[in-house]
Amino acid sequence: MATVTLNKLGKRFGALVALEALDLAIEDGEFLVLLGPSGCGKTTTMRMIAGLEEPTSGDILIDGTRVNGIHARDRDLAMVFQNYALYPHMTVGENIGYPLKVRGVDRAERLRKVEAAAAQVELSGLLLRRPAELSGGQRQRVALARAIVRTPRLFLMDEPLSNLDAKLRTVMRAELKHLQQSLGTTTIYVTHDQVEAMTLADRIVVLHEARIQQVGTPHEVYTRPANTFVAGFIGSPPMNLLAGEIRDGAFRHAAGTVPLAAAPRGEVVLGARPEDLALAAPADAHLTGTVFSSELLGDSTLVNVAIGDGLVAVKVGPDEGQRVGAAIGVRVAPAKTHLFAAEGGRRLETQP
Amino acid sequence: MLRDRWMSFAFLAPAVLLLGVFLYYPMIGTVIESFYSTSFINPNPAFVGFKQYETVMGKAEFWQVLANSLVWTVCVVALQNVIGFFVAVLLNQALPAQGLVRAVVLLPWVLPGVVVAILWRFMYDPQLGLINSFLISAGLTTEGIAWLADKTTAMGAVILAAVWKGFPFSALIYLAALQSVDREQIEAATIDGAGALRRLRDVVLPAIRNVILVNVVLTTILTFNYFDIVWVLTRGGPQGATDIFPTKIYELGFGQFRFGEAATYGVASIGVLALVAALYVLAQRAGSRRRRPV
Ligand SMILES: Nc1ncnc2c1ncn2[C@@H]1O[C@H](COP(=O)(O)OP(=O)(O)OP(=O)(O)O)[C@@H](O)[C@H]1O
Ligand SMILES: [Mg+2]
């Protein structure tokens, strides 16, 4: 149970800026996901909150108390490391039970809690193994169990599911979400997998190049991306972005025009999600091109259409696959488009 | 497969040959020598069997040398490794002028043993020595103590000099080992709530356990066979108070030309070292700790 406040938190490694003046208020019991591409500063942010890295600027407050100078040991949190950081000479059980042992929990109680935590991550039966005798995914689950064996003020999890297979990841995701909600422990969770972010988060913080791009609920981030980076990062496949010009109430592109009612004039980037587009005959479509590829995904088909010098992804029904090379048109639902400034990519809030 | 077998023999041959010529030939020669009575007056070796062992071990002198050797080895090894380890822990912190500090610490080890011994002879000198003049000026004693000439202090004095020369070697090896410990494991232990001592015990020491073991065995063998510092400082005196196997063997063989007896001492010292090697193997076996569920 804790609130975490970051005030202009920054970190430099020599000349390299790993994190630029981050402002963020995390509420008690919140599941906050830090999402961003590799190298954007996610781990660095975590390590500063944990007390493993000194910030070069700004403050960290936990429950309203400034903790900058406070030792990691005294911050009462649990962390899952990106590279697991298991103790190689201890068994799985000893690894999981170490935080309890250090705090003087007696053996019987420890064994009970370790077994419960191991069961939660499907590791029962492996308690006597050593980390070297486990697969990558199993090691990752040991790291996870070591964090959840105790109920700290704050969970910090750095890509805790990155090495699991798709099925186990889905199961673990549900387990984690359930656990977090039943414990109500504030959790900061790092991932670069946007599906994980969407499904787990109360709020998502999108980081890119050491800066916050957007903070919002998964719904907000998905439906109202703050800029072209977020638009192009969230969603699978992500939003289509087309550069063009708005003139006479329509978006104009070399491959066609899209009528837009209340739109600003000038150079813009038009964004549309694949599921908000439809295929049509070239004659009654907004944009025309040729089929570049057609991929059956199971519950849908993803058709990539070459328009101008780019590709536009369109999600259609599973039996609407197209022949590669065929001439085809794309229809846009004007109400479901997004506009971004051509310069800088900021969202233009003039859409109805 | 067959080809591989021959290849490996071919690659091993030079090493085996070198060991054979330079190590096993003289060693076996020493064992054979110990069964013969040879001396300056009686240059024709006469086979005496185990008689020489009986004579040598019958004298109090032998047991004195054995006891001295054990005290000397245990003290030097223990002090050198403990001090070396803590110096390594200190050097492993971020220090100002780190490179310089490390170089200065290493200095005693790069000095030749004879130079170190001469240096410490000056330090211990009853009239001119730094140690005595310090004690006198501090009012702890009125006249200089002859550290190296007194039976009660000589061994301690020699041990101190050897530790001074030897600890940088241990520190260097421990420092390298400490730097190879996974930083994230230490960080994980910190977050799990472990204090500095606990992290040292639970994470760092187990990680460098094998280095410690090798280092202790190595310094044990080197110390047991140490010659120059002791010889230059005391020649095994006073009255045999600092006589250890190497000084005794040298004195018997090249001082009194009693080669047979010297060889007997030599074989006995090999026996003691073999015991150390056996302990090392046992300690390594014990390394596979019992697996516990928590
Ligand atoms: N100890 C360090 N010394 C120098 N630079 C560092 C250090 N740690 C991180 N960096 C740099 O800081 C930036 C942010 O690193 P960080 O580890 O926070 O990225 P990340 O978002 O966690 O990426 P990933 O998804 O790949 O784990 C990177 O450019 C990285 O090279
Ligand atoms: Mg990272």
Side-chain angles (χ1 to χ4, degrees), chain A residues 260-298:
Chain A
L260 294 173
R265 298 175 66 84
E267 307 259 304
V268 294
V269 173
L270 178 82
R273 295 218 174 264
E275 58 269 33
D276 295 334
L277 297 176
L279 294 177
D284 43 53
H286 294 124
L287 304 162
T288 54
T290 54
V291 176
F292 181 79
S293 66
S294 178
E295 305 161 353
L296 179 65
L297 300 179

mmCIF file of all heavy atoms in Angstrom, chain A residues 260-298:
data_model
loop_
_atom_site.group_PDB
_atom_site.id
_atom_site.type_symbol
_atom_site.label_atom_id
_atom_site.label_comp_id
_atom_site.label_asym_id
_atom_site.label_seq_id
_atom_site.Cartn_x
_atom_site.Cartn_y
_atom_site.Cartn_z
ATOM 1 N N LEU A 260 -13.352 15.025 -44.724
ATOM 2 C CA LEU A 260 -13.356 15.244 -43.277
ATOM 3 C C LEU A 260 -14.093 16.535 -43.012
ATOM 4 O O LEU A 260 -13.790 17.559 -43.632
ATOM 5 C CB LEU A 260 -11.929 15.352 -42.739
ATOM 6 C CG LEU A 260 -11.051 14.102 -42.828
ATOM 7 C CD1 LEU A 260 -9.626 14.424 -42.420
ATOM 8 C CD2 LEU A 260 -11.618 13.000 -41.947
ATOM 9 N N ALA A 261 -15.074 16.521 -42.112
ATOM 10 C CA ALA A 261 -15.911 17.700 -41.896
ATOM 11 C C ALA A 261 -15.129 18.851 -41.261
ATOM 12 O O ALA A 261 -14.541 19.673 -41.940
ATOM 13 C CB ALA A 261 -17.113 17.315 -41.047
ATOM 14 N N ALA A 262 -15.092 18.871 -39.929
ATOM 15 C CA ALA A 262 -14.463 19.992 -39.234
ATOM 16 C C ALA A 262 -12.973 19.737 -39.066
ATOM 17 O O ALA A 262 -12.539 19.280 -38.030
ATOM 18 C CB ALA A 262 -15.135 20.185 -37.874
ATOM 19 N N ALA A 263 -12.214 20.010 -40.071
ATOM 20 C CA ALA A 263 -10.794 19.729 -39.979
ATOM 21 C C ALA A 263 -9.994 20.994 -40.211
ATOM 22 O O ALA A 263 -10.440 21.897 -40.912
ATOM 23 C CB ALA A 263 -10.417 18.674 -41.011
ATOM 24 N N PRO A 264 -8.809 21.073 -39.584
ATOM 25 C CA PRO A 264 -7.946 22.226 -39.822
ATOM 26 C C PRO A 264 -7.375 22.154 -41.239
ATOM 27 O O PRO A 264 -7.475 21.134 -41.906
ATOM 28 C CB PRO A 264 -6.862 22.057 -38.774
ATOM 29 C CG PRO A 264 -6.786 20.586 -38.565
ATOM 30 C CD PRO A 264 -8.169 20.053 -38.759
ATOM 31 N N ARG A 265 -6.780 23.224 -41.673
ATOM 32 C CA ARG A 265 -6.180 23.213 -43.001
ATOM 33 C C ARG A 265 -4.683 22.952 -42.883
ATOM 34 O O ARG A 265 -4.101 23.142 -41.842
ATOM 35 C CB ARG A 265 -6.404 24.564 -43.691
ATOM 36 C CG ARG A 265 -7.873 24.885 -43.908
ATOM 37 C CD ARG A 265 -8.036 26.277 -44.474
ATOM 38 N NE ARG A 265 -7.482 26.382 -45.816
ATOM 39 C CZ ARG A 265 -8.147 26.026 -46.935
ATOM 40 N NH1 ARG A 265 -9.369 25.572 -46.840
ATOM 41 N NH2 ARG A 265 -7.599 26.146 -48.116
ATOM 42 N N GLY A 266 -4.088 22.493 -43.933
ATOM 43 C CA GLY A 266 -2.636 22.383 -43.995
ATOM 44 C C GLY A 266 -2.133 20.949 -43.937
ATOM 45 O O GLY A 266 -2.897 19.989 -44.057
ATOM 46 N N GLU A 267 -0.828 20.844 -43.732
ATOM 47 C CA GLU A 267 -0.157 19.543 -43.728
ATOM 48 C C GLU A 267 -0.498 18.784 -42.452
ATOM 49 O O GLU A 267 -0.383 19.346 -41.355
ATOM 50 C CB GLU A 267 1.355 19.748 -43.771
ATOM 51 C CG GLU A 267 1.838 20.638 -44.899
ATOM 52 C CD GLU A 267 2.396 19.831 -46.036
ATOM 53 O OE1 GLU A 267 3.324 19.043 -45.778
ATOM 54 O OE2 GLU A 267 1.889 19.958 -47.167
ATOM 55 N N VAL A 268 -0.929 17.539 -42.576
ATOM 56 C CA VAL A 268 -1.246 16.731 -41.400
ATOM 57 C C VAL A 268 -0.812 15.283 -41.637
ATOM 58 O O VAL A 268 -0.408 14.915 -42.733
ATOM 59 C CB VAL A 268 -2.761 16.709 -41.082
ATOM 60 C CG1 VAL A 268 -3.255 18.071 -40.669
ATOM 61 C CG2 VAL A 268 -3.522 16.168 -42.265
ATOM 62 N N VAL A 269 -0.904 14.502 -40.558
ATOM 63 C CA VAL A 269 -0.770 13.051 -40.680
ATOM 64 C C VAL A 269 -2.112 12.463 -40.281
ATOM 65 O O VAL A 269 -2.647 12.789 -39.218
ATOM 66 C CB VAL A 269 0.350 12.510 -39.773
ATOM 67 C CG1 VAL A 269 0.356 10.984 -39.785
ATOM 68 C CG2 VAL A 269 1.700 13.045 -40.218
ATOM 69 N N LEU A 270 -2.681 11.649 -41.155
ATOM 70 C CA LEU A 270 -3.962 11.025 -40.876
ATOM 71 C C LEU A 270 -3.698 9.643 -40.289
ATOM 72 O O LEU A 270 -2.912 8.871 -40.834
ATOM 73 C CB LEU A 270 -4.773 10.895 -42.166
ATOM 74 C CG LEU A 270 -6.133 10.209 -42.019
ATOM 75 C CD1 LEU A 270 -7.171 11.199 -41.525
ATOM 76 C CD2 LEU A 270 -6.578 9.587 -43.336
ATOM 77 N N GLY A 271 -4.357 9.335 -39.174
ATOM 78 C CA GLY A 271 -4.187 8.022 -38.565
ATOM 79 C C GLY A 271 -5.484 7.235 -38.591
ATOM 80 O O GLY A 271 -6.553 7.794 -38.367
ATOM 81 N N ALA A 272 -5.409 5.951 -38.896
ATOM 82 C CA ALA A 272 -6.606 5.104 -38.865
ATOM 83 C C ALA A 272 -6.192 3.691 -38.500
ATOM 84 O O ALA A 272 -5.213 3.166 -39.032
ATOM 85 C CB ALA A 272 -7.298 5.119 -40.221
ATOM 86 N N ARG A 273 -6.897 3.095 -37.529
ATOM 87 C CA ARG A 273 -6.550 1.733 -37.113
ATOM 88 C C ARG A 273 -6.995 0.743 -38.171
ATOM 89 O O ARG A 273 -8.024 0.953 -38.838
ATOM 90 C CB ARG A 273 -7.222 1.412 -35.785
ATOM 91 C CG ARG A 273 -6.718 2.272 -34.653
ATOM 92 C CD ARG A 273 -6.587 1.523 -33.358
ATOM 93 N NE ARG A 273 -5.972 2.369 -32.350
ATOM 94 C CZ ARG A 273 -4.671 2.348 -32.070
ATOM 95 N NH1 ARG A 273 -3.873 1.523 -32.712
ATOM 96 N NH2 ARG A 273 -4.169 3.145 -31.147
ATOM 97 N N PRO A 274 -6.280 -0.376 -38.315
ATOM 98 C CA PRO A 274 -6.612 -1.368 -39.350
ATOM 99 C C PRO A 274 -8.054 -1.847 -39.257
ATOM 100 O O PRO A 274 -8.694 -2.089 -40.276
ATOM 101 C CB PRO A 274 -5.635 -2.506 -39.056
ATOM 102 C CG PRO A 274 -4.493 -1.859 -38.381
ATOM 103 C CD PRO A 274 -5.061 -0.720 -37.590
ATOM 104 N N GLU A 275 -8.566 -1.951 -37.993
ATOM 105 C CA GLU A 275 -9.933 -2.457 -37.856
ATOM 106 C C GLU A 275 -10.980 -1.395 -38.197
ATOM 107 O O GLU A 275 -12.156 -1.707 -38.316
ATOM 108 C CB GLU A 275 -10.169 -3.010 -36.448
ATOM 109 C CG GLU A 275 -9.944 -2.024 -35.316
ATOM 110 C CD GLU A 275 -8.512 -2.053 -34.784
ATOM 111 O OE1 GLU A 275 -7.580 -2.310 -35.595
ATOM 112 O OE2 GLU A 275 -8.329 -1.826 -33.575
ATOM 113 N N ASP A 276 -10.558 -0.128 -38.351
ATOM 114 C CA ASP A 276 -11.500 0.927 -38.703
ATOM 115 C C ASP A 276 -11.505 1.182 -40.214
ATOM 116 O O ASP A 276 -12.117 2.136 -40.682
ATOM 117 C CB ASP A 276 -11.152 2.223 -37.965
ATOM 118 C CG ASP A 276 -11.322 2.055 -36.460
ATOM 119 O OD1 ASP A 276 -12.130 1.190 -36.053
ATOM 120 O OD2 ASP A 276 -10.629 2.747 -35.690
ATOM 121 N N LEU A 277 -10.792 0.374 -40.949
ATOM 122 C CA LEU A 277 -10.756 0.508 -42.408
ATOM 123 C C LEU A 277 -11.511 -0.662 -43.028
ATOM 124 O O LEU A 277 -11.666 -1.717 -42.411
ATOM 125 C CB LEU A 277 -9.308 0.498 -42.913
ATOM 126 C CG LEU A 277 -8.418 1.651 -42.432
ATOM 127 C CD1 LEU A 277 -6.991 1.455 -42.927
ATOM 128 C CD2 LEU A 277 -8.970 2.991 -42.912
ATOM 129 N N ALA A 278 -11.958 -0.444 -44.254
ATOM 130 C CA ALA A 278 -12.640 -1.528 -44.964
ATOM 131 C C ALA A 278 -12.142 -1.571 -46.394
ATOM 132 O O ALA A 278 -11.656 -0.567 -46.928
ATOM 133 C CB ALA A 278 -14.143 -1.300 -44.936
ATOM 134 N N LEU A 279 -12.225 -2.763 -46.977
ATOM 135 C CA LEU A 279 -11.838 -2.900 -48.383
ATOM 136 C C LEU A 279 -13.055 -2.617 -49.258
ATOM 137 O O LEU A 279 -14.189 -2.867 -48.859
ATOM 138 C CB LEU A 279 -11.316 -4.309 -48.643
ATOM 139 C CG LEU A 279 -10.001 -4.679 -47.943
ATOM 140 C CD1 LEU A 279 -9.649 -6.131 -48.231
ATOM 141 C CD2 LEU A 279 -8.875 -3.755 -48.387
ATOM 142 N N ALA A 280 -12.797 -2.094 -50.461
ATOM 143 C CA ALA A 280 -13.903 -1.815 -51.377
ATOM 144 C C ALA A 280 -13.369 -1.870 -52.795
ATOM 145 O O ALA A 280 -12.152 -1.918 -53.002
ATOM 146 C CB ALA A 280 -14.484 -0.443 -51.086
ATOM 147 N N ALA A 281 -14.289 -1.858 -53.745
ATOM 148 C CA ALA A 281 -13.854 -1.785 -55.142
ATOM 149 C C ALA A 281 -13.182 -0.433 -55.350
ATOM 150 O O ALA A 281 -13.585 0.550 -54.722
ATOM 151 C CB ALA A 281 -15.049 -1.938 -56.069
ATOM 152 N N PRO A 282 -12.165 -0.344 -56.186
ATOM 153 C CA PRO A 282 -11.439 0.907 -56.381
ATOM 154 C C PRO A 282 -12.378 2.065 -56.721
ATOM 155 O O PRO A 282 -12.141 3.200 -56.302
ATOM 156 C CB PRO A 282 -10.493 0.602 -57.536
ATOM 157 C CG PRO A 282 -10.287 -0.872 -57.475
ATOM 158 C CD PRO A 282 -11.571 -1.452 -56.973
ATOM 159 N N ALA A 283 -13.475 1.783 -57.424
ATOM 160 C CA ALA A 283 -14.355 2.862 -57.874
ATOM 161 C C ALA A 283 -15.022 3.583 -56.703
ATOM 162 O O ALA A 283 -15.107 4.803 -56.690
ATOM 163 C CB ALA A 283 -15.408 2.305 -58.823
ATOM 164 N N ASP A 284 -15.477 2.819 -55.670
ATOM 165 C CA ASP A 284 -16.132 3.525 -54.574
ATOM 166 C C ASP A 284 -15.316 3.502 -53.277
ATOM 167 O O ASP A 284 -15.836 3.314 -52.187
ATOM 168 C CB ASP A 284 -17.560 3.006 -54.354
ATOM 169 C CG ASP A 284 -17.651 1.504 -54.415
ATOM 170 O OD1 ASP A 284 -16.867 0.849 -53.675
ATOM 171 O OD2 ASP A 284 -18.455 0.998 -55.183
ATOM 172 N N ALA A 285 -14.009 3.695 -53.410
ATOM 173 C CA ALA A 285 -13.135 3.753 -52.242
ATOM 174 C C ALA A 285 -12.535 5.146 -52.111
ATOM 175 O O ALA A 285 -12.579 5.943 -53.045
ATOM 176 C CB ALA A 285 -12.017 2.724 -52.376
ATOM 177 N N HIS A 286 -12.005 5.444 -50.880
ATOM 178 C CA HIS A 286 -11.350 6.741 -50.677
ATOM 179 C C HIS A 286 -9.933 6.719 -51.208
ATOM 180 O O HIS A 286 -9.441 7.687 -51.760
ATOM 181 C CB HIS A 286 -11.337 7.086 -49.187
ATOM 182 C CG HIS A 286 -12.698 7.315 -48.630
ATOM 183 N ND1 HIS A 286 -13.193 6.618 -47.559
ATOM 184 C CD2 HIS A 286 -13.684 8.146 -49.026
ATOM 185 C CE1 HIS A 286 -14.423 7.010 -47.290
ATOM 186 N NE2 HIS A 286 -14.753 7.943 -48.176
ATOM 187 N N LEU A 287 -9.241 5.597 -50.954
ATOM 188 C CA LEU A 287 -7.847 5.479 -51.362
ATOM 189 C C LEU A 287 -7.712 4.228 -52.219
ATOM 190 O O LEU A 287 -8.387 3.229 -51.979
ATOM 191 C CB LEU A 287 -6.926 5.353 -50.138
ATOM 192 C CG LEU A 287 -7.027 6.484 -49.112
ATOM 193 C CD1 LEU A 287 -6.429 6.055 -47.785
ATOM 194 C CD2 LEU A 287 -6.312 7.729 -49.638
ATOM 195 N N THR A 288 -6.838 4.279 -53.205
ATOM 196 C CA THR A 288 -6.680 3.110 -54.062
ATOM 197 C C THR A 288 -5.227 2.665 -54.091
ATOM 198 O O THR A 288 -4.298 3.464 -53.936
ATOM 199 C CB THR A 288 -7.131 3.393 -55.504
ATOM 200 O OG1 THR A 288 -6.430 4.551 -55.961
ATOM 201 C CG2 THR A 288 -8.610 3.613 -55.595
ATOM 202 N N GLY A 289 -5.055 1.359 -54.281
ATOM 203 C CA GLY A 289 -3.706 0.803 -54.350
ATOM 204 C C GLY A 289 -3.777 -0.632 -54.821
ATOM 205 O O GLY A 289 -4.793 -1.056 -55.394
ATOM 206 N N THR A 290 -2.706 -1.408 -54.552
ATOM 207 C CA THR A 290 -2.721 -2.811 -54.923
ATOM 208 C C THR A 290 -2.454 -3.656 -53.685
ATOM 209 O O THR A 290 -1.804 -3.192 -52.730
ATOM 210 C CB THR A 290 -1.636 -3.127 -55.979
ATOM 211 O OG1 THR A 290 -0.391 -2.667 -55.462
ATOM 212 C CG2 THR A 290 -1.927 -2.430 -57.295
ATOM 213 N N VAL A 291 -2.946 -4.893 -53.707
ATOM 214 C CA VAL A 291 -2.754 -5.773 -52.559
ATOM 215 C C VAL A 291 -1.277 -6.184 -52.488
ATOM 216 O O VAL A 291 -0.719 -6.677 -53.462
ATOM 217 C CB VAL A 291 -3.649 -7.022 -52.657
ATOM 218 C CG1 VAL A 291 -3.358 -7.970 -51.495
ATOM 219 C CG2 VAL A 291 -5.108 -6.618 -52.672
ATOM 220 N N PHE A 292 -0.670 -5.925 -51.350
ATOM 221 C CA PHE A 292 0.749 -6.255 -51.175
ATOM 222 C C PHE A 292 0.903 -7.624 -50.523
ATOM 223 O O PHE A 292 1.732 -8.431 -50.913
ATOM 224 C CB PHE A 292 1.405 -5.184 -50.307
ATOM 225 C CG PHE A 292 2.873 -5.398 -50.083
ATOM 226 C CD1 PHE A 292 3.794 -5.052 -51.063
ATOM 227 C CD2 PHE A 292 3.331 -5.953 -48.895
ATOM 228 C CE1 PHE A 292 5.141 -5.251 -50.856
ATOM 229 C CE2 PHE A 292 4.680 -6.158 -48.693
ATOM 230 C CZ PHE A 292 5.590 -5.803 -49.682
ATOM 231 N N SER A 293 0.073 -7.890 -49.504
ATOM 232 C CA SER A 293 0.093 -9.199 -48.861
ATOM 233 C C SER A 293 -1.244 -9.427 -48.196
ATOM 234 O O SER A 293 -1.985 -8.476 -47.924
ATOM 235 C CB SER A 293 1.211 -9.277 -47.823
ATOM 236 O OG SER A 293 0.938 -8.393 -46.775
ATOM 237 N N SER A 294 -1.549 -10.693 -47.933
ATOM 238 C CA SER A 294 -2.808 -11.030 -47.290
ATOM 239 C C SER A 294 -2.527 -12.158 -46.313
ATOM 240 O O SER A 294 -2.116 -13.246 -46.708
ATOM 241 C CB SER A 294 -3.812 -11.463 -48.365
ATOM 242 O OG SER A 294 -5.033 -11.831 -47.773
ATOM 243 N N GLU A 295 -2.687 -11.872 -45.010
ATOM 244 C CA GLU A 295 -2.298 -12.856 -43.990
ATOM 245 C C GLU A 295 -3.511 -13.260 -43.167
ATOM 246 O O GLU A 295 -4.159 -12.418 -42.560
ATOM 247 C CB GLU A 295 -1.248 -12.243 -43.046
ATOM 248 C CG GLU A 295 -0.028 -11.703 -43.758
ATOM 249 C CD GLU A 295 0.743 -10.704 -42.882
ATOM 250 O OE1 GLU A 295 0.258 -10.348 -41.785
ATOM 251 O OE2 GLU A 295 1.825 -10.293 -43.322
ATOM 252 N N LEU A 296 -3.774 -14.551 -43.125
ATOM 253 C CA LEU A 296 -4.865 -15.048 -42.288
ATOM 254 C C LEU A 296 -4.360 -15.154 -40.849
ATOM 255 O O LEU A 296 -3.370 -15.830 -40.570
ATOM 256 C CB LEU A 296 -5.329 -16.420 -42.783
ATOM 257 C CG LEU A 296 -6.446 -17.059 -41.967
ATOM 258 C CD1 LEU A 296 -7.718 -16.236 -42.058
ATOM 259 C CD2 LEU A 296 -6.695 -18.488 -42.412
ATOM 260 N N LEU A 297 -5.049 -14.440 -39.920
ATOM 261 C CA LEU A 297 -4.599 -14.461 -38.523
ATOM 262 C C LEU A 297 -5.410 -15.428 -37.693
ATOM 263 O O LEU A 297 -5.137 -15.627 -36.525
ATOM 264 C CB LEU A 297 -4.722 -13.060 -37.918
ATOM 265 C CG LEU A 297 -3.912 -11.958 -38.596
ATOM 266 C CD1 LEU A 297 -4.165 -10.633 -37.897
ATOM 267 C CD2 LEU A 297 -2.429 -12.281 -38.603
ATOM 268 N N GLY A 298 -6.419 -16.053 -38.275
ATOM 269 C CA GLY A 298 -7.290 -16.942 -37.519
ATOM 270 C C GLY A 298 -8.674 -16.345 -37.454
ATOM 271 O O GLY A 298 -9.552 -16.715 -38.215
#
